[in-house]
Amino acid sequence: MRLAERVNPWLRRVPVAPLYWIALFPAVIWFGLALANRLGADPVRALEHEYGLRALQFLVAALAVTPLRELTGVSLLRFRRFLGLTAFSYALLHLLVWLVLDRQLDWPRIAEDLARRPYVVLGMAAFVMLVPLAATSTDRALRRLGPGRWRRVHRLAYPATALAALHFVWLVKAWPPEPLLYALAVATLLAWRAAGVLRRRAPRIAAG
Ligand code: HEM
């Protein structure tokens, strides 16, 4: 029996709502550990790291849904909204930790970071792109926008994830493998998507 035939019926029975709680529960634990000063020498930085990394992982997972279905037939489409919203929640927490705990709402310093550190600008641009995605993630928004416009808005997930991966590569001073591996994964997923678009367009172009 093919993997997809075995896995898909089981996946269809998995309730989505509890997954949000399960996925966001570690955020509460990390916050508690940071408050208790049990997240290492620099708890704020550790918290920033955990939230940022989780945001990127959920973005990559959301991007992998279509290639996974095309390659194996395993469909995680039901979970894509959950993956995207969880990525957004972690990105928001990551931003809030930076604004409130790291920069302590010191607006001139925040403005200076935005002006002088390209990786902060990249992170901010990624986050700004995620906002309309999160805001239009409901069924009501889909009905209001119509499928065409909704899909166009949700294409922002691709540049947002690319910018987030670049943000991670840019901020490291040495060249540890982790950011590069994420960048490679994102580049592969984007190339897959671009190849899919070209494949679909080719017959139309050939037909004139
Ligand atoms: C989609 C949005 C974002 C994602 C996925 C993301 C992801 C990440 C990741 C993976 C790291 C590396 C964590 C580490 O190894 O320490 C990081 C670090 C960082 N991010 Fe983001 N980020 C995002 C948005 C932002 C935004 C909006 C800001 C602020 C404007 C920001 C500021 C920072 C800073 C300052 C660090 C460095 C923390 C340190 O000093 O180690 N990020 N981010």
Side-chain angles (χ1 to χ4, degrees), residues 53-69:
L53 206 57
R54 234 45 74 198
L56 185 57
Q57 286 166 352
F58 277 99
L59 282 177
V60 172
L63 224 63
V65 167
T66 302
L68 180 75
R69 198 193 46 186

Side-chain angles (χ1 to χ4, degrees), residues 45 48-49 52 56 94-95 98 120 123-124 130 164 167-168 171:
R45 191 129 181 238
E48 238 167 33
H49 169 90
L56 185 57
H94 176 69
L95 172 62
W98 183 69
V120 173
M124 196 55 110
L130 292 181
H167 162 70
F168 192 10
L171 72 90

